[in-house]
Amino acid sequence: MGAGAGSGRGQLFLRSLLFLLLVGSPAPRPVGGQLRYAVPEELEHGAFVANLGEDLGLDVSTLSARRFRIVSRAGARQYLEVNLENGILFVNERIDREEVCEAGGTCLLHLQLLVESPLELYRVEVEVLDINDHAPTFPWQEYVLEVAESAVLGARFPLESAQDPDVGTNSVHTYRLSPNGFFSLEVQTRSDASKFAELVLERALDREQQRAHQVLLTALDGGVPERSGTARILVTVLDANDNVPAFDQPSYGVSLPEDAPAGTLVIQLNATDLDEGPNGEIEYSFSGHAPPRVRELFHVEPRSGQVLLKGPLDYERASLHELYVQAKDRGPSAVAVHCRVLVHLLDVNDNAPEVTLTSVSTPVLEDAPPGTVIAVISVLDRDSGDNGRVSCEVGPDVPFELRSSFRNYYTLVTTQALDREVVPEYNVSITARDMGSPTLLTRSTLTIPVSDVNDNAPRFLQPSYSVYVMENNAPGASICSVSALDPDCQQNAYLSYSIADGHIHGMPVGTYVSINSDSGHMYALRSLDYEQIRSFQIQVQAQDAGFPPLSANVTVHIFVLDQNDNAPVIVSPMPRNGSVATELVPRSAGPGYLVGTVSAVDADAGLNSRLSYQLLQATDFTLFSVAPDTGELRTLRSFLEQDATRQQLVVQVRDGGQPALSATVSLLLSVVETMPQTLSDFSEFSLPPEASSSSPLTLYLLVSLGSISFTFLLAILILTAIRCRGERHSRQGDGCSPPGCHCCPGSRPSPDSLKTSNLMAQPPAGTTAATCLDVPGGGPPGYCYKVCLGPESAQSDFMFLKPCSPPRNNEKDPRKQSQPGQHLQVSKQIKQPNTDCLPPSMQRPALKRYQIRWKG
């Protein structure tokens, strides 16, 4: 080996430092919009390359936060690295130029620098400069060259070439031959600028004088310092073989597609030898200086001279192969002749584009503006020409597009606003297609999830809710459930329910109902009463947990359903002083006589308040009946002599609920010959205050009622006086001349309305009439006499006497103001039950009577 073969790695490092001192510190050179640096090979780890932070104009303090990094292919060796603290590009791993770049020429490391927030991409090229770290070497340290003694002067004998992995001036520069008296050396240059040596015969050989010659061949490179390698050549002088083979032409050219299969015939070589016999039989082979790569790819048939393809070709690795084939006969002292075969490879579109996702920023917010960068994509096609030109596109119907930033580099950006509720995730198909024929393409799918933003308010399933709750519910029982949906997800879709502030009948709504904030179940906090509150409404709010939170309201109408929880209440007749209600019935009453009306009310509603009446108990069921709808108590037949004078009745009032509730009232009916002047228990009206006061009229009334004979006599006198005054008034033309006629309001009835019976005035059945009559000298002065008549009675009886006192100053009733000349008034007074608690069908008089008022 040469002198430099044993130099250690320490000397190599010193040479690298010396090279840096000679070349100077690497300065950035802008090339086509990118930075380019140069660095020698074989530098140790940590060696300075460049200050990227300064050259790119980046803030060094933000490099780490912005994730400044070198993007490399998966599995690729990271020769260079960036220090994020100072932005310096340094050697991360020892760079061997001969390993990185197999072919000669410029050796470049292409770096893609990526920085985020915002996303920026830079391209940097680092040229690896060759240093003279390899000495030239020969395939063999010693080999034999056979030369016939008959070789002519000037004959050339190609020698084995030395190999030096270095390039440029550091590769094999020249050869030197040790001094001798027979041979000289000429150095030839190939088409790729490589050197090889040929031994030239300068003096005729004489085998008989010297059978062998030994020379030393030295190969030197052009590096600094110069390195060399040697090989020992033993020249053996052979006996004469006069003729040497000759090729048809010294050089051949052939084109071969790179996808040609193994065994393909590359070229058929032909050489001829004028000798005969073994001296004319030619054998073909690669010359000694054929590169190892050529021997791996091609094969030469020794006998036929066919050059066959042995291994796979790759245009992208080497587009031209130079083959050196020698032909030598089989005779003694055979001399080999050489020819050159240039194999030009034709590019075939055999490499599909490669798609690499350099950087992906996912997920993307759904409110990201158009133009937001999602990913940086690089494409590469190893073919050349149109076969290596690549176009990249995304699939249809996606809100994304590709924008080209550098050659074969694209950024994936949004084109419109996103909506996670419509499409939560996009599978973006990226297609890279070359321009070759046939076209090759590569599809890569990028999954882009869309991150949720709280942009949707909750929405209830119904515009409003109607809830029906039976009254008397248990406190704390669930009455309904409201539900809302939020198209957002995760925290933005978590809903909480609440009841808006408000009042129900003056009480806070929170005292009536509550709601489970998680499930939306509503609960009644108190027992509801239909009779107190029949319906109310509340506002329920659903609010999500997003920021800012969004909410929605819905109205819940709560209707309380009636339950039959109230029994009927008897309002008429009302027993007096806690005793049984009593009523007098004239024995002369005929069938259908209205004894009275039982009235009741029920606080419930609907069917629960629909009342029906029935006679539950009776002394004689054939004598009385009760109307089931109105409660009217009537006689079924006339009274007989054998009928009891006291009739005990029990009337039941039942509602229509389920189960039905009822109430009963006991009635004691007394059958009398004549009706006394007492109020019936069926009456709902109380006596006037004047009647209950301890006045002389009360005492007089009690004494008057005690004497039946006095009553009849007084009635005859009054009736006689009425008839007399009636005739007088008819003659006087309605004049009211007696001075005592001052308490008779209303109009005078016509004489036809009076009958010549015990009663002078008989209004229609079912009415109560009060008539003021002026009796001159016939009755006690200053009194009015009221006569009450039953509708079916043919007799007239006085009920009580009432003093005819003048009205007070603040009691003005236009209906009671008398007109001149009018002294007799018959007025209807119909008792009405309480219309607030009785159905319309029951708003009728409970008792019918006539009242005749006298004024003396």
Side-chain angles (χ1 to χ4, degrees):
M1 295 294 290
S7 58
R9 188 170 298 275
Q11 295 178 354
L12 183 62
F13 181 69
L14 293 177
R15 294 192 187 98
S16 301
L17 292 179
L18 180 61
F19 181 86
L20 285 175
L21 293 176
L22 295 175
V23 175
S25 60
R29 290 179 292 165
V31 178
Q34 61 187 18
L35 298 179
R36 185 168 180 175
Y37 302 92
V39 60
E41 63 174 335
E42 302 294 340
L43 290 180
E44 296 292 336
H45 173 77
F48 174 86
V49 177
N51 192 336
L52 290 178
E54 178 179 347
D55 296 339
L56 295 177
L58 299 176
D59 187 359
V60 177
S61 62
T62 63
L63 294 182
S64 178
R66 296 182 64 185
R67 299 183 61 196
F68 184 62
R69 63 190 183 276
I70 298 176
V71 180
S72 59
R73 294 179 179 275
R77 299 177 65 177
Q78 194 77 17
Y79 292 103
L80 302 174
E81 191 55 83
V82 177
N83 189 331
L84 297 181
E85 296 180 0
N86 50 26
I88 291 178
L89 182 68
F90 63 93
V91 176
N92 184 51
E93 184 178 348
R94 185 182 66 86
I95 305 174
D96 187 352
R97 183 192 180 284
E98 289 72 28
E99 179 183 353
V100 175
C101 303
E102 293 183 6
T106 304
C107 183
L108 296 176
L109 294 179
H110 300 276
L111 304 181
Q112 284 79 36
L113 303 177
L114 189 69
V115 63
E116 299 180 357
S117 301
L119 189 64
E120 295 179 351
L121 183 68
Y122 302 95
R123 295 188 63 183
V124 174
E125 290 184 350
V126 177
E127 180 181 358
V128 180
L129 301 177
D130 184 47
I131 63 173
N132 194 20
D133 57 338
H134 294 88
T137 58
F138 288 93
W140 302 282
Q141 293 185 1
E142 182 176 348
Y143 64 94
V144 177
L145 177 65
E146 295 179 348
V147 179
E149 63 176 333
S150 60
V152 297
L153 297 179
R156 297 175 179 270
F157 305 96
L159 302 178
E160 293 287 343
S161 298
Q163 303 295 325
D164 192 340
D166 295 327
V167 296
T169 58
N170 295 327
S171 64
V172 176
H173 179 64
T174 187
Y175 293 88
R176 285 192 302 209
L177 190 66
S178 61
N180 64 88
F182 292 91
F183 301 94
S184 65
L185 191 69
E186 287 191 7
V187 179
Q188 302 292 335
T189 303
R190 298 189 183 97
S191 60
D192 59 354
S194 61
K195 309 286 188 178
F196 68 94
E198 291 182 340
L199 198 62
V200 181
L201 182 61
E202 299 290 341
R203 181 179 168 187
L205 299 176
D206 189 355
R207 180 178 177 276
E208 286 70 25
Q209 292 182 2
Q210 188 176 355
R211 298 175 59 90
H213 302 271
Q214 187 173 348
V215 293
L216 184 65
L217 180 62
T218 302
L220 299 102
D221 61 22
V224 178
E226 184 182 72
R227 307 189 70 174
S228 63
T230 60
R232 195 178 303 276
I233 301 175
L234 179 61
V235 180
T236 302
V237 181
L238 302 177
D239 197 12
N241 185 6
D242 300 323
N243 297 288
V244 296
F247 284 98
D248 296 339
Q249 57 189 61
S251 179
Y252 297 88
V254 64
S255 297
L256 190 66
E258 63 171 328
D259 60 348
T264 300
L265 176 63
V266 178
I267 191 172
Q268 174 70 59
L269 297 178
N270 184 34
T272 58
D273 193 326
L274 299 179
D275 295 329
E276 294 182 353
N279 292 333
E281 296 178 0
I282 301 174
E283 290 184 349
Y284 301 89
S285 63
F286 283 115
S287 62
H289 50 77
R293 177 65 177 166
V294 171
R295 298 177 185 270
E296 293 176 0
L297 296 178
F298 302 94
H299 168 69
V300 178
E301 285 291 332
R303 302 295 294 175
S304 65
Q306 290 181 343
V307 180
L308 302 177
L309 184 62
K310 180 180 178 182
L313 302 175
D314 190 354
Y315 177 88
E316 288 71 37
R317 185 170 182 179
S319 61
L320 174 66
H321 293 280
E322 192 172 6
L323 284 63
Y324 287 89
V325 181
Q326 68 180 9
K328 185 171 64 171
D329 59 31
R330 300 181 65 185
S333 303
V335 176
V337 293
H338 301 79
C339 73
R340 184 176 66 170
V341 179
L342 297 178
V343 180
H344 299 272
L345 298 186
L346 301 178
D347 185 33
V348 175
N349 192 21
D350 58 344
N351 292 282
E354 299 177 7
V355 178
T356 303
L357 299 177
T358 304
S359 177
V360 180
S361 300
T362 58
V364 58
L365 292 174
E366 62 176 325
D367 61 348
T372 301
V373 177
I374 305 300
V376 177
I377 301 168
S378 63
V379 293
L380 174 65
D381 195 318
R382 299 182 182 275
D383 295 323
S384 62
D386 289 341
N387 296 332
R389 292 175 55 194
V390 180
S391 63
C392 200
E393 60 186 13
V394 297
D397 302 327
V398 292
F400 303 96
E401 68 176 3
L402 289 174
R403 296 178 182 174
S404 179
S405 53
F406 296 99
R407 183 176 181 271
N408 293 339
Y409 277 85
Y410 298 87
T411 55
L412 182 66
V413 299
T414 59
T415 59
Q416 63 187 44
L418 306 179
D419 191 347
R420 190 206 66 82
E421 289 70 38
V422 177
V423 181
E425 184 179 84
Y426 290 92
N427 291 320
V428 181
S429 176
I430 302 172
T431 303
R433 180 181 289 105
D434 60 24
M435 303 299 178
S437 179
T439 299
L440 298 181
L441 57 87
T442 300
R443 284 191 176 91
S444 179
T445 300
L446 174 62
T447 300
I448 303 176
V450 181
S451 180
D452 185 47
V453 174
N454 192 24
D455 56 348
N456 290 278
R459 179 176 55 85
F460 283 92
L461 300 182
Q462 299 177 207
S464 64
Y465 290 83
S466 295
V467 181
Y468 298 89
V469 182
M470 188 68 68
E471 66 172 331
N472 301 321
N473 59 290
S478 176
I479 59 175
C480 72
S481 176
V482 296
S483 180
L485 296 178
D486 195 318
D488 296 322
C489 67
Q490 298 179 353
Q491 180 180 354
N492 297 330
Y494 177 77
L495 301 181
S496 60
Y497 300 90
S498 62
I499 297 177
D501 295 335
H503 291 80
I504 302 175
H505 287 212
M507 297 292 292
V509 68
T511 62
Y512 279 84
V513 292
S514 66
I515 190 169
N516 188 306
S517 61
D518 295 327
S519 64
H521 290 290
M522 297 179 61
Y523 303 92
L525 299 181
R526 61 169 62 184
S527 180
L528 302 177
D529 190 352
Y530 175 83
E531 288 71 39
Q532 293 183 1
I533 180 170
R534 298 194 176 186
S535 66
F536 58 92
Q537 65 182 26
I538 59 176
Q539 292 287 329
V540 176
Q541 183 185 72
Q543 180 173 294
D544 58 30
F547 184 81
L550 302 178
S551 61
N553 294 338
V554 70
T555 301
V556 180
H557 301 273
I558 299 178
F559 299 93
V560 183
L561 300 179
D562 183 43
Q563 194 177 37
N564 194 22
D565 58 343
N566 291 280
V569 177
I570 305 295
V571 297
S572 175
M574 297 293 294
R576 299 180 181 178
N577 300 324
S579 62
V580 179
T582 60
E583 179 63 28
L584 299 180
V585 181
R587 185 173 290 275
S588 60
Y593 176 79
L594 179 62
V595 179
T597 302
V598 178
S599 301
V601 294
D602 195 317
D604 295 322
L607 290 176
N608 296 329
S609 65
R610 182 173 296 177
L611 304 180
S612 63
Y613 302 83
Q614 65 177 352
L615 190 59
L616 190 62
Q617 296 178 11
T619 303
D620 187 351
F621 282 96
T622 64
L623 189 55
F624 299 97
S625 68
V626 176
D629 295 330
T630 62
E632 292 181 348
L633 181 62
R634 293 181 182 271
T635 58
L636 292 175
R637 59 178 175 80
S638 300
F639 288 96
L640 303 178
E641 292 297 334
Q642 61 271 23
D643 292 333
T645 60
R646 297 175 65 86
Q647 297 287 331
Q648 183 77 28
L649 303 179
V650 177
V651 178
Q652 184 187 56
V653 183
R654 179 186 295 268
D655 59 25
Q658 291 294 333
L661 302 178
S662 63
T664 59
V665 61
S666 298
L667 303 176
L668 181 59
L669 302 182
S670 298
V671 182
V672 296
E673 298 296 337
T674 59
M675 295 294 291
Q677 298 181 0
T678 59
L679 285 177
S680 170
D681 287 338
F682 282 96
S683 175
E684 297 177 4
F685 299 100
S686 61
L687 292 174
E690 300 86 29
S692 62
S693 62
S694 57
S695 62
L697 177 60
T698 304
L699 181 59
Y700 176 73
L701 194 58
L702 293 176
V703 174
S704 300
L705 294 176
S707 177
I708 300 301
S709 59
F710 179 76
T711 303
F712 284 123
L713 179 61
L714 187 59
I716 293 172
L717 293 177
I718 293 174
L719 292 175
T720 303
I722 289 174
R723 174 164 295 187
C724 294
R725 292 185 64 85
E727 293 176 354
R728 187 184 309 121
H729 280 283
S730 62
R731 292 190 300 267
Q732 294 178 0
D734 296 335
C736 189
S737 57
C741 187
H742 299 288
C743 63
C744 298
S747 61
R748 179 176 59 83
S750 64
D752 296 336
S753 64
L754 301 176
K755 301 172 66 177
T756 58
S757 61
N758 293 335
L759 290 178
M760 298 303 294
Q762 184 175 355
T767 61
T768 302
T771 306
C772 286
L773 302 177
D774 190 7
V775 183
Y783 286 89
C784 288
Y785 301 91
K786 179 180 294 183
V787 180
C788 296
L789 303 177
E792 289 81 7
S793 176
Q795 303 294 330
S796 298
D797 298 318
F798 290 101
M799 294 298 292
F800 58 86
L801 298 176
K802 178 180 179 182
C804 188
S805 59
R808 299 182 181 138
N809 295 332
N810 57 354
E811 294 180 356
K812 295 181 181 180
D813 190 352
R815 294 176 300 177
K816 297 183 179 179
Q817 295 178 1
S818 61
Q819 298 178 2
Q822 295 181 348
H823 303 283
L824 179 62
Q825 179 187 20
V826 179
S827 63
K828 291 185 179 180
Q829 296 180 354
I830 302 174
K831 173 179 173 57
Q832 301 289 338
N834 188 358
T835 60
D836 296 335
C837 58
L838 290 178
S841 62
M842 300 180 63
Q843 296 178 4
R844 59 186 64 185
L847 188 64
K848 303 174 183 177
R849 58 169 62 94
Y850 293 101
Q851 297 178 350
I852 301 177
R853 180 177 300 169
W854 289 83
K855 178 178 179 183

